[in-house]
Amino acid sequence: MGGCVPKIESIRYISLDGYAKNNADARVVERARGTWARPHFFIGKIPTRYEVARKDYTLVFEVRPSHSRPGIILNVLPYPEYRIGFHTTVELRPEPCVRWTWDENKPGEWFFSYWCDKKDSDGHIDMHLLFTVFDQGGAVVAEEAIPYTVEWNGFFGYVDAI
């Protein structure tokens, strides 16, 4: 027994627009339109790169316009003079349906993923990117808490086949 069902799902992304609008040290650097291989509809340009300038370092956030699930990449410049980190492993998975991960082939780069089906937290999820900036010697330079929202940007379609 088998079957095929056409599916339509919404494309969501993490946005730092509210933070960028309300803080002089933050700005949107780049916008792009999604490039999904699957059929997609009602797609607009979204912010794909944000920079937050601090006194000694700059935080760089990148949204990949080809991802249909919310996620954002974080880097700090200059690296390795400064690096992103966490005090405990619990901070890597701070709430249900969010998580920080890294790829050992991309030093200094962290990926924050959000897989809740809700657009907002309903009070169950702290909608902040929480991380620590360390210097090269391992001393804490800053504890960061950047607010984010999950926004909608069209739909994509596929066939769910068994």
Side-chain angles (χ1 to χ4, degrees):
M1 188 175 192
C4 298
V5 178
K7 294 271 198 167
I8 302 286
E9 292 194 23
S10 54
I11 296 168
R12 297 176 303 145
Y13 67 96
I14 291 181
S15 172
L16 306 182
D17 280 357
Y19 184 79
K21 287 177 186 171
N22 295 316
N23 291 277
D25 62 349
R27 65 189 181 107
V28 176
V29 178
E30 195 173 284
R31 293 182 184 275
R33 190 176 304 278
T35 56
W36 295 275
R38 296 176 173 168
H40 50 277
F41 319 95
F42 307 111
I43 305 298
K45 282 188 173 183
I46 64 169
T48 55
R49 185 179 171 101
Y50 299 90
E51 289 183 2
V52 179
R54 300 294 194 228
K55 180 183 175 216
D56 297 320
Y57 60 90
T58 300
L59 300 170
V60 178
F61 298 91
E62 294 180 62
V63 175
R64 297 280 162 83
S66 60
H67 287 189
S68 57
R69 303 295 280 170
I72 198 161
I73 296 166
L74 168 61
N75 285 290
V76 63
L77 300 174
Y79 177 86
E81 289 85 352
Y82 296 94
R83 62 182 175 84
I84 302 300
F86 302 88
H87 296 287
T88 67
T89 56
V90 174
E91 292 175 317
L92 295 172
R93 195 174 181 139
E95 301 284 345
C97 51
V98 297
R99 174 179 51 211
W100 286 101
T101 55
W102 63 281
D103 181 345
E104 63 186 43
N105 297 319
K106 298 177 182 177
E109 183 176 289
W110 286 89
F111 182 72
F112 180 81
S113 55
Y114 177 102
W115 63 87
C116 293
D117 289 330
K118 304 172 194 165
K119 181 176 178 180
D120 59 26
S121 70
D122 292 337
H124 296 106
I125 299 171
D126 182 357
M127 301 293 281
H128 288 81
L129 300 171
L130 303 170
F131 55 92
T132 304
V133 178
F134 295 94
D135 67 14
Q136 217 166 6
V140 173
V141 175
E143 301 285 344
E144 295 279 359
I146 308 290
Y148 68 91
T149 58
V150 177
E151 301 296 333
W152 170 86
N153 187 38
F155 301 95
F156 69 95
Y158 63 97
V159 175
D160 189 7
I162 298 176

